Amino acid sequence: MATRKTPPKPPAKRPRKRVAVRDGEAPEPVDDSLAAMREAAKGCKRCPLWKPATQTVFGEGPEDARVLFIGEQPGDAEDLSGQPFVGPAGKLFDRALAELGLDRAAFYVTNAVKHFKYEWRGKVRLHKSPDASERAACRLWLERELAAVKPDIIVCLGAIAARSVLGSKFRLMAQRGAWQTLADGTRVLATVHPSFVLRQRGDEDRHAAYAQFVADLSLLKRKGRKG
Ligand code: URA
C-alpha cells in the first residue's frame, strides 16, 4: 500500500528585527510597494520635523493612479488624522474637483514634505514653511512614491511642490496653468496651493483666486494634451 507523504513544512518565519532608527535616518521599506513605504515612513527621522509632529502623513490613493497631486506639507488637521488634504485646504481642493466632476478617489494625493512644521501661537499651531534641508530630506519619499505610482500627470499645488518637480527656477505665478513635460514624458501642471485661495482677504479676491484655481485644474479634463 502506498504511504502518504507528509508535505514538507514551510520554513518558519523569522520575526523581522526592529532596528532602532537614529536621527538623520529612516527605516528601509521591505519592498517597493506603497504599503511598505508608508510603513517605513512612519519611523522616518531624516530631518528634525518628526519630533514635534504627531505622525508622518504619507500619500494616499491608488497605486495605479494616472494623476498624482503634490501639496506642500500636512497642516494641523492632517497631522492629527494622518491623511493628506483633509483640513480647510483639502476641503477647498475637494470642492474644486467635485465642481469639475473629477473623482479624488481616482488620484494619488501626497505632499513634498511628510511632517507638519509649525510654531505655537497661543493655543494654535501655525504652519511654517519647510526649509531647504527639510525638503531635501523628504525628497526620498516623494521620489519613491513617484517611482511606485508612475503617473502620467503630476499636478503641483503651490510653489514648493512645483519647485520640487520642475526645479528652483520655476515661477509659479508666471507659469501656472501651462503644461510642462519632464524628461521621461510625464506631463506636469502647476497651480496655486488651495491655502493661497483661502488666504485672500476680500470676497472678490477670494472668488477670483478660486475661479482661476478651478480653471487651472480644468486642464486635467483634457488629460495633459500638448499645447
Ligand atoms: N496643505 C498641504 O500642502 N498639504 C496638506 O495635506 C494639507 C494642507
Side-chain angles (χ1 to χ4, degrees):
M1 207 164 67
T3 49
R4 277 240 309 271
K5 269 194 192 162
T6 41
K9 277 195 189 151
K13 266 197 183 161
R14 271 208 247 133
R16 200 142 28 85
K17 253 207 278 174
R18 275 200 175 273
V19 184
V21 178
R22 286 182 296 203
D23 279 355
E25 294 181 351
E28 270 305 303
V30 290
D31 56 45
D32 293 338
S33 68
L34 285 172
M37 287 175 208
R38 183 173 293 110
E39 189 56 33
K42 286 180 187 166
C44 185
K45 297 183 180 175
R46 281 170 64 86
C47 82
L49 294 183
W50 70 271
K51 250 187 210 162
T54 307
Q55 58 193 314
T56 306
V57 180
F58 206 71
E60 250 184 18
E63 194 141 358
D64 61 355
R66 297 331 310 141
V67 181
L68 182 149
F69 283 85
I70 308 175
E72 180 191 305
Q73 60 157 333
D76 185 77
E78 290 79 14
D79 172 73
L80 297 174
S81 71
Q83 293 174 283
F85 282 103
V86 293
K91 296 218 164 28
L92 187 131
F93 174 54
D94 287 349
R95 193 178 123 206
L97 293 179
E99 237 169 72
L100 290 165
L102 297 170
D103 179 13
R104 174 165 165 178
F107 305 140
Y108 189 83
V109 179
T110 192
N111 282 300
V113 170
K114 311 274 192 272
H115 282 118
F116 179 33
K117 182 175 182 181
Y118 62 90
E119 64 186 3
W120 284 103
R121 192 72 62 80
K123 291 185 178 163
V124 178
R125 298 192 299 173
L126 281 190
H127 158 279
K128 276 184 86 178
S129 280
D131 65 29
S133 67
E134 293 151 354
R135 296 198 303 267
C138 216
R139 202 180 161 78
L140 171 83
W141 296 113
L142 181 61
E143 278 170 7
R144 284 174 170 166
E145 287 175 300
L146 288 168
V149 178
K150 296 187 193 66
D152 298 327
I153 294 176
I154 298 173
V155 184
C156 302
L157 301 173
I160 290 203
R163 291 193 186 143
S164 74
V165 175
L166 297 164
S168 58
K169 293 208 176 101
F170 187 79
R171 293 289 166 260
L172 182 68
M173 288 324 223
Q175 293 174 277
R176 66 181 289 187
W179 288 108
Q180 315 286 328
T181 308
L182 299 183
D184 68 358
T186 310
R187 305 284 279 151
V188 182
L189 183 67
T191 184
V192 295
H193 192 283
S195 314
F196 169 83
V197 178
L198 295 173
R199 277 200 307 273
Q200 302 303 306
R201 287 263 171 85
D203 283 354
E204 210 175 300
D205 286 352
R206 207 164 38 252
H207 288 150
Y210 178 71
Q212 191 55 56
F213 178 61
V214 173
D216 288 347
L217 293 181
S218 75
L219 296 178
L220 283 176
K221 299 187 86 169
R222 295 203 274 142
K223 301 272 186 294
R225 252 188 274 138
K226 287 198 171 80

